[in-house]
């Protein structure tokens, strides 16, 4: 893949809307995290619904934007699990064996991957709901 082809993929309108939708969901996720930590993925799901509704006639593009918005919204998990990463950075330079260090590092990383995966799934499912939400216009015969 040439450099111009890679740049065109990155500059695709799919990424722009995904970053906007995922970024717009982040402040709401922070609010949910503060008051109801179990509901932090609800704003990502809502962003997926909005993206799906916006692209309701282009379902493939909607799914691409929704999953990428979920990934962007899932980046907030880094902030939510900051305490675990603080422990990671303190353990990396210690004089422990490699196996012990790996056993301490792998679980927080797996939790982070699961959290980002869950946010991606929420964005995807929200997009599917948004795509299925199509207004039916009244026919001219019924009016």
């Amino acid at each position: 893949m040439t450099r111009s082809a890679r740049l065109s993929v990155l500059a695709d309108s799919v990424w722009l809307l995904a970053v906007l939708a995922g970024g717009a969901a982040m402040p709401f996720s922070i609010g949910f995290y503060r008051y109801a930590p179990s509901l932090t993925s609800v704003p990502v799901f809502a962003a997926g619904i909005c993206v799906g509704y916006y692209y309701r006639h282009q379902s493939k593009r909607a799914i691409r934007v929704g999953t990428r918005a979920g990934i962007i919204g899932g980046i907030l998990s880094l902030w939510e699990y900051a305490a675990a990463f603080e422990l990671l950075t303190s353990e990396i330079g210690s004089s422990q064996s490699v196996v012990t260090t790996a056993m301490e590092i792998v679980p927080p990383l797996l939790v982070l991957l699961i959290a980002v995966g869950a946010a991606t799934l929420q964005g995807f499912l929200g997009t599917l709901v948004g795509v299925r939400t199509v207004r039916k216009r009244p026919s001219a015969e019924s009016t």
Side-chain angles (χ1 to χ4, degrees):
M1 183 178 269
T2 65
R3 181 183 169 124
S4 62
R6 275 187 248 141
L7 288 176
S8 68
V9 168
L10 291 176
D12 187 15
S13 64
V14 171
W15 276 108
L16 177 64
L17 190 58
V19 168
L20 290 175
M26 282 186 184
F28 297 104
S29 294
I30 291 171
F32 274 91
Y33 178 73
R34 186 171 182 178
Y35 297 108
S38 62
L39 299 176
T40 57
S41 61
V42 170
V44 176
F45 183 72
I49 290 174
C50 293
V51 165
Y53 186 73
Y54 182 74
Y55 283 119
R56 64 189 173 275
H57 299 295
Q58 303 170 359
S59 59
K60 287 184 181 181
R61 178 169 270 213
I63 290 172
R64 288 194 342 234
V65 174
T67 53
R68 291 174 186 176
I71 291 170
I72 299 296
I75 291 174
L76 186 64
S77 301
L78 287 171
W79 178 70
E80 293 174 4
Y81 298 106
F85 287 107
E86 183 179 327
L87 175 67
L88 284 178
T89 57
S90 67
E91 295 295 327
I92 288 176
S94 66
S95 60
Q96 296 178 350
S97 70
V98 174
V99 174
T100 306
T101 304
M103 288 174 57
E104 292 177 350
I105 290 173
V106 169
L109 289 177
L110 286 176
V111 167
L112 176 67
L113 287 174
I114 290 170
V116 171
T120 304
L121 183 64
Q122 290 292 329
F124 173 74
L125 293 175
T127 303
L128 289 180
V129 170
V131 167
R132 301 280 183 218
T133 307
V134 178
R135 289 188 209 167
K136 296 192 178 194
R137 296 182 183 170
S139 65
E141 298 167 356
S142 64
T143 56

